[in-house]
């Protein structure tokens, strides 16, 4: 069965970024001039998934506006002759078929995915977290689809992290069956380095068979009273194989202040128009005395 739909959960509170996220979704934070969520939508489009289901909340309206057609702005850019910008903003709103559904209460990532069930229906679908950007030469969703097409089962993208960092991620334990492919035996959410069964961390890209919905419906609230997606995957593993594909990509977690700053810096260093001046600035900053806390 072809994968035609992606679910992007974007309803979370973003508490790690308060007060900035009181009225502005963290998924709309700019990575220089492009909001985080646009990177994820572009990733879906380049894997030929144009039906993008956003699971949103009451303070997430800017996301809807962003993917809408803004005829006034288009007219303005046309009149100014800013054709590159015009093409850019026209493309993203015309290629995507956005569907918005509300998660009325923020009951966790697992719950957010379950909210999308009436729109997804009984077919395989992708889940891409709204605050994780993946930079890879190959489209990782396409690679996940290849694995799904071979085995007909759910696939989770993982990447290698330093042992000391495992406690920031969901970690899998799996049997290696061929190059970069595993069958998952277990998953542990944010283990201590000593207790981690591997250093393979979940990226934030999943491809599920619709059976995940059955499991989400019977998943009891876990950590923080939230319905955890990892708990539902554990239940799924009891019934059918779940595969992992190891990717060799750069994964950016823009949902934490440090991760966000690192993302902006990294993307700026990859841009012709910013790279040189930024390197100069960073060199100056590091060779002079580093500002003290509270002096900025
Ligand atoms: P996070 O746990 O990173 O987001 O969830 P959060 O809850 O907004 O962050 P903090 O901890 O309060 O700072 C990963 C993704 O899942 C979405 C978030 O919007 C984010 O994109 N999410 C999370 C939901 O859609 N609903 C939820 O109930 C929880």
């Amino acid at each position: 069965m072809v994968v035609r739909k992606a679910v992007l959960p974007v309803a979370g509170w973003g508490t790690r970024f308060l007060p900035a996220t009181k009225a502005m979704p963290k998924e709309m934070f700019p990575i220089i001039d492009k909001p985080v969520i646009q990177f994820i939508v572009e990733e879906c489009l380049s894997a030929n998934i144009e039906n993008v289901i956003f699971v949103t909340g009451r303070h997430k309206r800017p996301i809807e506006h962003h993917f809408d057609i803004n005829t006034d702005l288009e007219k303005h850019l046309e009149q100014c002759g800013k054709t590159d910008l015009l093409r850019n903003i026209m493309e993203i709103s015309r290629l995507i078929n956005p569907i918005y559904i509300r998660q009325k209460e923020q009951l966790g990532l697992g719950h957010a995915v379950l909210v999308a069930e009436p729109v997804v229906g009984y077919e395989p679908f992708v889940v891409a977290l709204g605050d994780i950007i993946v930079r890879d030469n190959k489209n990782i969703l396409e690679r996940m689809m290849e694995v799904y097409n071979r085995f007909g089962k759910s696939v989770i993208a993982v990447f290698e992290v330093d042992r000391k960092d495992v406690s920031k991620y969901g970690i899998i334990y799996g049997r290696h069956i061929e190059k970069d492919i595993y069958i998952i035996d277990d998953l542990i959410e944010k283990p201590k380095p000593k207790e981690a069964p591997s250093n393979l961390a979940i990226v934030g890209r999943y491809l599920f068979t619709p059976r995940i919905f059955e499991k989400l419906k019977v998943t009891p609230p876990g950590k923080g009273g939230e319905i955890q997606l990892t708990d539902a995957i554990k239940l799924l593993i009891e019934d059918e194989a779940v595969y992992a594909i190891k990717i060799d990509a750069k994964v950016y977690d823009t949902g934490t202040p440090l991760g966000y700053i690192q993302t902006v810096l990294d993307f700026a260093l990859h841009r012709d128009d910013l790279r040189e001046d930024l390197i100069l600035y960073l060199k100056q900053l590091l060779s002079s005395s580093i500002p003290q806390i509270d002096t900025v």
Side-chain angles (χ1 to χ4, degrees):
M1 218 173 171
V2 183
V3 180
R4 305 179 307 140
K5 296 173 184 166
V7 173
L8 274 49
V10 292
W13 288 116
T15 48
R16 283 166 291 181
F17 265 110
L18 281 170
T21 42
K22 196 173 164 212
M24 169 59 71
K26 64 175 173 180
E27 295 82 3
M28 283 300 294
F29 285 2
I31 305 304
I32 307 163
D33 47 17
K34 191 192 283 190
V36 171
I37 195 70
Q38 187 172 332
F39 286 91
I40 297 147
V41 166
E42 286 174 355
E43 188 186 329
C44 294
L45 289 173
S46 70
N48 289 317
I49 300 176
E50 62 205 43
N51 299 302
V52 181
I53 302 158
F54 296 90
V55 180
T56 73
R58 67 183 69 79
H59 57 303
K60 301 285 179 158
R61 274 293 165 92
I63 298 176
E64 295 178 35
H65 296 315
H66 184 70
F67 292 106
D68 213 355
I69 293 176
N70 184 338
T71 38
D72 289 344
L73 178 62
E74 288 178 9
K75 226 182 278 166
H76 168 73
L77 292 173
E78 199 178 352
Q79 278 162 4
C80 305
K82 297 190 171 165
T83 43
D84 280 354
L85 279 176
L86 179 64
R87 199 174 320 115
N88 188 314
I89 68 146
M90 280 180 80
E91 237 173 51
I92 194 69
S93 45
R94 281 166 179 77
L95 293 176
I96 174 190
N97 175 28
I99 301 152
Y100 299 96
I101 184 160
R102 281 272 178 113
Q103 184 187 22
K104 289 181 252 178
E105 284 178 288
Q106 277 65 36
L107 298 179
L109 176 59
H111 180 258
V113 174
L114 184 56
V115 163
E117 185 191 16
V119 190
V120 172
Y122 204 79
E123 56 180 274
F125 66 103
V126 156
V127 171
L129 297 196
D131 54 359
I132 303 288
I133 297 177
V134 179
R135 191 199 269 275
D136 198 357
N137 295 333
K138 298 176 214 138
N139 184 297
I140 85 165
L141 298 180
E142 272 179 352
R143 292 183 61 203
M144 292 167 75
M145 284 183 212
E146 280 161 25
V147 179
Y148 170 77
N149 289 338
R150 284 178 59 202
F151 301 107
K153 296 286 185 261
S154 301
V155 188
I156 295 174
V158 295
F159 71 126
E160 282 183 310
V161 295
D162 279 350
R163 275 266 163 192
K164 64 173 173 41
D165 291 330
V166 289
S167 56
K168 295 182 195 154
Y169 302 93
I171 299 292
I172 68 142
Y173 174 64
R175 273 165 288 151
H176 186 217
I177 55 164
E178 60 185 74
K179 188 176 183 305
D180 297 335
I181 313 245
Y182 300 77
I183 293 183
I184 303 180
D185 285 322
D186 203 3
L187 303 98
I188 303 174
E189 199 51 57
K190 304 187 168 118
K192 292 192 184 112
K194 268 192 202 155
E195 289 158 13
S198 78
N199 66 337
L200 294 175
I202 298 174
V203 170
R205 299 292 183 269
Y206 312 80
L207 194 167
F208 288 120
T209 63
R211 294 215 43 198
I212 192 69
F213 292 130
E214 287 169 31
K215 303 301 170 192
L216 283 165
K217 283 176 196 159
V218 295
T219 303
K223 235 181 196 172
E226 295 190 337
I227 295 172
Q228 304 285 347
L229 185 58
T230 349
D231 290 342
I233 300 170
K234 275 171 177 259
L235 295 179
L236 185 63
I237 289 170
E238 289 174 12
D239 276 12
E240 60 179 40
V242 175
Y243 290 80
I245 178 165
K246 188 174 79 167
I247 59 157
D248 186 20
K250 185 95 190 185
V251 177
Y252 299 94
D253 181 0
T254 68
T256 68
L258 181 62
Y260 176 70
I261 294 165
Q262 288 169 336
T263 313
V264 174
L265 276 177
D266 234 24
F267 276 77
L269 288 170
H270 280 87
R271 272 180 51 159
D272 272 356
D273 58 335
L274 296 170
R275 183 182 164 80
E276 236 171 81
D277 288 343
L278 180 60
I279 290 177
L280 206 65
Y281 174 71
L282 289 174
K283 277 185 180 160
Q284 277 167 2
L285 187 71
L286 292 172
S287 64
S288 61
S289 57
I290 308 252
Q292 298 298 307
I293 291 172
D294 286 334
T295 59
V296 183

